[in-house]
Amino acid sequence: MYPIDLLSPSHLFTNVISVLNSVQLLSRKEAPGAQPTAADFEVNLQTNTGFLPEKPIPRLPEAYSAWEDALTRAQEVLILGENITEDNIKSRVDGELWRSQMRELPVISTNDLKTDKQLLRRAHKVLAFLVHFYVHSIPDQTAGSVLIPRSLATPLLEVSSVLRMAPVLTFADTVLWNWDLVNPELPVTIENMRFGVELFSGTEDERNFWFGNAKVEMLGVEMLHLINEYHSLPNVSDFASVCKINRLLTRLVAIINRVEETLLSMRDLVDPSTFYWQVRPWFNGSASGSSSPTWIFEDGPDASTLDLSGPSAGQSSVMHALDIFLDVDFKLQQRRHPVPSESNKRSDLGFMERMRRYMPGAHQDYLSHLANSSRPLRELAKSTPAVKESYNAAVSAIRKFRDSHIRIACLYVVSMARSTAIPVGCPVFAMMQRMERQQKRTGHSTGTGGNELSLLLKSTRDATARAALKI
């Protein structure tokens, strides 16, 4: 029993009156018949890992050791190509040797992986990391395109097709599947999980960045339980049910507040300069910015037909589930107040929907299942005065979280993009010059998905605020 589950007498009386006033307006919304469970969508509520698997496998079978060994070697010798100076001969030689070995690898069949989801996830993660290492370790890159060798392109495309997700590094690869247990004999808890098993930069800042995102995902498991409890109610129109819904929403607000605290705590764990210059460039996908090359998959389809933006927190299935539960309208299709600003209308309205294509297909199916609920929460709150206040409190909490997200983005991306404090002798000076040229051409900072970051985040925050109901 949560302390907040105990309603005060005045609150109880208000609920009684509100429900009695509303009951004639409500049809009895019974729970639907047999429905798929969260487990059917690879959402692990029983193990309390949510969208994370019960435990990722540490390595692929021996037949795929060439991929695993290449990833290990990449993390040992490769650095960002844009950080390689002309006199850094060793890094140039090591990088070209590694890339030539990738080009010479045979195309390994993925048939033995296709019946095991754990193997498929590991293969996607390993291959996606290899592709990003391959592209971003190339020095002096001036070409408008880069060829991904068939040894990496073909299996990545095949594995992605089975998993029904984008053939590029994703949030799932870097967060959901990028951990192991500190002590395998102990239960799966955030304290017993080591995140950032695979890293690009090898820095603790990168590890802490993935850890911060993972903490949000683990807190999100509690949200998923609440959403499941709501949809499992026998009906949502009687007094007991309305009281239960209010308690669920009150608990939801507390969880969202903890998620916000986790986000803000990253300021103490991840240095903005290290993140921006040493970590973030590895995430870029095909044509992610004005200076990013277009990828060409050897023997593969045209890159313009593929989703290749790279990982983004916008691909977090748990945050999408929360937005669907609260019915946030990112595409501005509903008539809500206040009217969207002109800057809201100019933002990438399809961004959130597009980010779902980077999620594993089963998670996409789960979100579609939630979106097609026969008892949408916002509609219930509109017709049930007793629920409006609790619903609006949840909307306010997620809007406040997105305000904090804007501040964090400004600290880690926007402010760093405008910084000119990098000395000429620093290895990232060449990158700084390129970023300055990009700023002059575009006048804005982009997220890892190639979007106008500030405009997008403010539009997302404002869309959240418009979900609130008039009391």
Side-chain angles (χ1 to χ4, degrees):
M1 170 81 67
Y2 288 80
I4 54 178
D5 285 352
L6 302 176
L7 297 175
S8 67
S10 60
H11 194 169
L12 188 63
F13 178 75
T14 301
N15 274 339
V16 171
I17 297 301
S18 179
V19 171
L20 291 176
N21 289 338
S22 309
V23 71
Q24 294 183 11
L25 302 175
L26 292 168
S27 59
R28 187 174 180 83
K29 298 180 181 178
E30 302 292 342
Q35 293 288 306
T37 65
D40 295 325
F41 302 106
E42 299 173 16
V43 181
N44 301 301
L45 295 184
Q46 290 189 333
T47 60
N48 285 319
T49 54
F51 291 107
L52 283 72
E54 295 181 36
K55 183 180 182 299
I57 60 172
R59 191 175 172 90
L60 291 168
E62 184 61 27
Y64 304 94
S65 61
W67 298 348
E68 295 281 4
D69 293 345
L71 181 56
T72 299
R73 183 61 176 164
Q75 294 177 85
E76 292 172 349
V77 302
L78 297 186
I79 64 175
L80 277 169
E82 55 198 13
N83 288 357
I84 299 176
T85 58
E86 291 183 5
D87 57 352
N88 193 342
I89 305 299
K90 186 178 188 306
S91 292
R92 287 176 177 271
V93 171
D94 287 345
E96 182 48 41
L97 176 61
W98 183 88
R99 288 189 297 277
S100 68
Q101 291 170 342
M102 293 302 96
R103 292 190 291 269
E104 293 167 3
L105 279 180
V107 176
I108 303 175
S109 171
T110 60
N111 288 338
D112 292 340
L113 305 173
K114 293 181 179 178
T115 57
D116 189 321
K117 282 292 179 68
Q118 283 282 59
L119 292 177
L120 286 167
R121 293 174 191 138
R122 176 69 188 178
H124 191 282
K125 171 188 166 182
V126 170
L127 289 164
F129 263 88
L130 289 175
V131 167
H132 280 251
F133 267 120
Y134 187 94
V135 172
H136 296 299
S137 64
I138 300 174
D140 309 321
Q141 190 159 195
T142 57
S145 63
V146 59
L147 182 68
I148 311 299
R150 62 172 62 89
S151 57
L152 301 179
T154 299
L156 179 57
L157 288 166
E158 291 175 353
V159 166
S160 300
S161 176
V162 179
L163 289 172
R164 294 186 290 128
M165 62 188 296
V168 70
L169 195 73
T170 68
F171 185 85
D173 298 301
T174 53
V175 177
L176 304 184
W177 306 337
N178 197 18
W179 60 277
D180 60 12
L181 290 174
V182 176
N183 185 342
E185 304 301 319
L186 296 178
V188 179
T189 63
I190 193 69
E191 293 78 17
N192 192 36
M193 299 165 80
R194 182 175 72 97
F195 290 90
V197 175
E198 266 72 53
L199 299 172
F200 287 106
S201 66
T203 62
E204 284 303 304
D205 297 87
E206 182 181 355
R207 193 185 307 279
N208 289 335
F209 178 72
W210 299 134
F211 176 62
N213 280 277
K215 284 182 70 176
V216 169
E217 292 298 305
M218 292 297 283
L219 284 170
V221 177
E222 298 180 50
M223 297 185 203
L224 298 176
H225 277 294
L226 295 183
I227 293 171
N228 189 58
E229 285 185 57
Y230 169 77
H231 287 294
S232 298
L233 289 171
N235 71 78
V236 292
S237 61
D238 62 18
F239 175 70
S241 296
V242 169
C243 291
K244 173 70 171 178
I245 293 167
N246 278 326
R247 291 196 296 271
L248 291 176
L249 288 171
T250 303
R251 287 163 55 191
L252 181 60
V253 169
I255 298 167
I256 295 171
N257 289 340
R258 288 163 61 196
V259 168
E260 182 187 11
E261 291 170 4
T262 299
L263 174 70
L264 293 174
S265 70
M266 291 179 68
R267 293 176 297 187
D268 300 323
L269 300 173
V270 182
D271 175 65
S273 179
T274 302
F275 173 77
Y276 189 82
W277 298 109
Q278 298 184 45
V279 178
R280 186 172 175 266
W282 291 104
F283 304 165
N284 288 334
S286 176
S288 293
S290 59
S291 60
S292 298
T294 298
W295 297 5
I296 299 174
F297 281 70
E298 188 173 15
D299 297 338
D302 188 329
S304 64
T305 66
L306 302 171
D307 294 303
L308 298 172
S309 291
S312 165
Q315 298 161 14
S316 166
S317 299
V318 76
M319 297 307 296
H320 278 254
L322 177 59
D323 287 324
I324 289 171
F325 185 54
L326 297 176
D327 191 17
V328 178
D329 174 27
F330 293 114
K331 298 182 75 174
L332 308 184
Q333 294 176 325
Q334 307 297 323
R335 181 174 295 180
R336 295 180 179 178
H337 298 282
V339 175
S341 66
E342 289 304 314
S343 62
N344 288 163
K345 295 175 183 178
R346 289 198 311 273
S347 70
D348 186 352
L349 300 182
F351 176 81
M352 296 299 281
E353 182 177 300
R354 190 168 64 255
M355 288 298 99
R356 292 190 195 178
R357 302 202 295 262
Y358 291 78
M359 302 172 188
H363 295 174
Q364 298 178 44
D365 294 341
Y366 174 74
L367 297 179
S368 295
H369 174 66
L370 287 184
N372 292 319
S373 166
S374 60
R375 50 164 69 155
L377 175 64
R378 190 173 187 273
E379 290 303 308
L380 173 72
K382 283 174 67 175
S383 58
T384 312
V387 178
K388 280 186 181 180
E389 185 176 347
S390 296
Y391 169 82
N392 281 350
V395 171
S396 179
I398 192 66
R399 181 202 58 76
K400 183 170 174 286
F401 161 80
R402 290 196 159 120
D403 274 332
S404 294
H405 190 192
I406 291 171
R407 292 197 295 273
I408 290 292
C410 285
L411 174 64
Y412 282 91
V413 180
V414 179
S415 297
M416 293 308 303
R418 294 171 179 167
S419 170
T420 57
I422 306 299
V424 175
C426 176
V428 299
F429 180 68
M431 180 182 176
M432 184 65 208
Q433 290 180 314
R434 284 193 289 275
M435 288 299 298
E436 287 179 347
R437 290 195 295 270
Q438 176 184 323
Q439 285 293 99
K440 290 176 181 177
R441 287 195 300 268
T442 65
H444 56 73
S445 301
T446 61
T448 51
N451 53 74
E452 297 184 36
L453 187 58
S454 297
L455 193 65
L456 175 70
L457 293 179
K458 289 176 181 177
S459 174
T460 300
R461 185 267 319 273
D462 294 346
T464 302
R466 279 191 291 275
L469 299 167
K470 291 184 178 181
I471 300 296

